[in-house]
Amino acid sequence: MRTLVVGWSSVLHGEATAGDVLAMDAVADALGTAGVPHDVAWSAVMCPPGGLRLDDVEPARYTHLLFVCGPATGRSIAALHEQFAHCRRIAVGVSVLDPADPVTAGFHRVIARDRPGADARRDLAARAVPQLVPVLGVYLTSGQHEYGARRRHDDVGAGLEEWLARLDAARLPLDTRLDPRDWRLPATAAQAGSVLARLDTVVTMRMHGLVLALRAGVPALAVDPVAGGGKVTAQARAWDWPAVVGADELDPGRLDEQLRWCLSPAGRRAAADRAAMAPSGFEQLDELVGELLGDLSGEPGRDADREFDRELGPELLEAAETVRHRG
């Protein structure tokens, strides 16, 4: 007796979901605990290293076929009935839409999570506890044409995407753009910051991805897409932040090294130290306010041709003084 465990993550045209995989894990764990000899088969896309692909399975080796999770209908399952016609076929944790469906009725036994006229059962995916992995916020960019011939955005972006694809991490694509018309984007800076604050680390080609992450105390792996260094590298220097990779330094080993540091206790402490720094920009604001106050007071050397609305002068003066003395 040997059992083959399959699901929608196993068939060629199936759609693999996290729930499907967790349900299959739950079944495999139960069989292992009970001492039932079994294998788990996967599609070519979902097959883990060293795993068994359904295309490579020898049906004659098995006496039982278990189909796990999802709707118990469709051409892919009908094909399994034909391929494993000699096996006792059982569907478990599935949704039954029509008990009279020939594909559903083709199973010798159906252990449903929901079916017409019966109480629903909790899904098998809730039984398995997935191992947690780091959550990475990712900021990519393909613009910034102001850098001209120094742009390496296409190459850097492609290299990062290839590297990110092989990481065992939850990767969350993010954007610094705000747009209240599109629910996929943050509508306010507070919404963008709220997402950032819940991440383990950030991988960013964008300068503000680096700045906002450090301000939130989140380590950031900054990748500068400009040859020789652009504003990303400049901000890394301004924050004395070491985890920055130049466009000409991009290789998987270098990225792995920097990501390990960002996720380490040392990297988290360094980010917390940056978050605790005094608010930034006072020197720029002081310079701005000094310029405006000089214009308002008519100091020699100011641009005499610049005109201000005299009625707004006192309000502007008051606002400038507030900025100057904020800290």
Side-chain angles (χ1 to χ4, degrees):
M1 174 179 171
R2 190 164 191 87
T3 297
L4 183 66
V5 178
V6 298
W8 286 105
S9 301
S10 310
V11 297
L12 178 61
H13 299 293
E15 180 183 57
T17 70
D20 293 333
V21 172
L22 289 171
M24 292 170 67
D25 288 345
V27 169
D29 288 345
L31 297 183
T33 300
V36 176
H38 67 282
D39 295 316
V40 180
W42 305 92
S43 70
V45 171
M46 291 301 299
C47 191
L52 175 65
R53 299 197 324 171
L54 183 60
D55 291 343
D56 298 329
V57 163
E58 298 178 20
R61 295 190 61 216
Y62 300 97
T63 58
H64 290 69
L65 178 77
L66 299 185
F67 187 88
V68 182
C69 200
T73 188
R75 286 182 293 179
S76 295
I77 300 180
L80 290 174
H81 283 316
E82 295 180 7
Q83 188 178 6
F84 295 89
H86 64 285
C87 290
R88 177 168 169 79
R89 298 179 303 280
I90 301 173
V92 58
V94 296
S95 292
V96 174
L97 306 179
D98 178 6
D101 183 332
V103 177
T104 304
F107 288 101
H108 296 92
R109 176 80 186 279
V110 176
I111 305 171
R113 66 188 175 193
D114 57 86
R115 64 189 307 157
D119 292 337
R121 303 175 180 180
R122 286 182 290 175
D123 188 80
L124 287 171
R127 180 177 179 84
V129 180
Q131 180 181 357
L132 298 182
V133 297
V135 181
L136 312 183
V138 180
Y139 292 95
L140 303 180
T141 181
S142 58
Q144 301 177 346
H145 294 278
E146 63 270 21
Y147 284 103
R150 297 171 58 203
R151 291 182 72 257
R152 302 292 185 271
H153 292 63
D154 293 343
D155 292 340
V156 169
L160 271 179
E161 288 182 355
E162 183 178 350
W163 172 72
L164 287 163
R166 68 172 181 79
L167 292 180
D168 186 16
R171 295 141 298 192
L172 186 63
L174 298 175
D175 203 319
T176 57
R177 291 184 301 123
L178 305 179
D179 191 340
R181 302 164 300 176
D182 187 347
W183 67 267
R184 298 169 186 82
L185 295 172
T188 66
Q191 293 175 12
S194 296
V195 174
L196 266 172
R198 288 161 171 79
L199 301 174
D200 292 314
T201 193
V202 164
V203 178
T204 180
M205 292 170 61
R206 285 188 171 274
M207 179 200 71
H208 279 127
L210 169 64
V211 171
L212 298 178
L214 295 182
R215 196 66 190 135
V218 177
L221 168 49
V223 181
D224 196 327
V226 178
K231 57 188 175 183
V232 173
T233 299
Q235 277 300 304
R237 286 199 302 267
W239 287 81
D240 191 24
W241 184 250
V244 57
V245 175
D248 300 325
E249 303 173 310
L250 194 72
D251 71 79
R254 172 82 167 146
L255 293 170
D256 287 343
E257 175 189 358
Q258 293 297 324
L259 180 61
R260 281 194 299 270
W261 181 81
C262 286
L263 292 170
S264 71
R268 291 195 294 271
R269 285 195 301 270
D273 290 344
R274 300 317 186 274
M277 293 169 61
S280 63
F282 279 124
E283 67 281 4
Q284 297 174 64
L285 295 176
D286 282 346
E287 187 174 338
L288 168 65
V289 169
E291 180 77 13
L292 294 176
L293 291 177
D295 287 334
L296 288 170
S297 64
E299 285 184 4
R302 300 296 177 184
D303 185 358
D305 294 329
R306 191 180 303 162
E307 294 184 359
F308 290 88
D309 186 339
R310 295 303 179 185
E311 293 182 1
L312 296 180
E315 296 180 10
L316 182 58
L317 179 61
E318 181 180 353
E321 289 291 349
T322 300
V323 172
R324 275 189 70 96
H325 298 97
R326 180 182 298 170

